[in-house]
């Protein structure tokens, strides 16, 4: 399987929100993001977010 590196560029406001959520759980931002990505419902939540974004921009 191996390992891979994921790099993201996010704005300061989003990073602050992630830091806040992570701190409430006593986690680093990296650990919080990884934990969120491995949640069982992530795929469904991600698809819903993509669908809403496409509706907003009139792509569907």
């Amino acid at each position: 399987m191996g390992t891979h590196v994921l790099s993201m560029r996010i704005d300061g406001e989003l990073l602050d929100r992630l830091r806040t959520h992570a701190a409430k759980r006593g986690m680093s931002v990296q650990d919080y993001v990884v934990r969120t990505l491995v949640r069982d419902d992530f795929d469904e939540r991600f698809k819903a977010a993509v669908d809403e974004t496409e509706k907003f921009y009139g792509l569907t």
Side-chain angles (χ1 to χ4, degrees):
M1 180 173 177
T3 61
H4 301 276
V5 174
L6 172 65
S7 177
M8 298 186 326
R9 185 178 305 253
I10 58 175
D11 69 11
E13 183 180 323
L14 178 57
L15 181 57
D16 289 341
R17 289 173 49 206
L18 287 170
R19 283 184 180 135
T20 300
H21 288 290
K24 287 178 184 176
R25 291 158 182 81
M27 305 169 77
S28 70
V29 171
Q30 291 85 352
D31 288 342
Y32 178 77
V33 170
V34 168
R35 189 172 189 182
T36 301
L37 291 173
V38 297
R39 283 180 48 176
D40 289 339
D41 66 342
F42 175 77
D43 290 339
E44 293 82 19
R45 295 174 70 212
F46 183 74
K47 173 141 179 31
V50 169
D51 291 346
E52 287 298 315
T53 300
E54 288 177 346
K55 281 185 208 173
F56 179 79
Y57 287 106
L59 301 175
T60 57

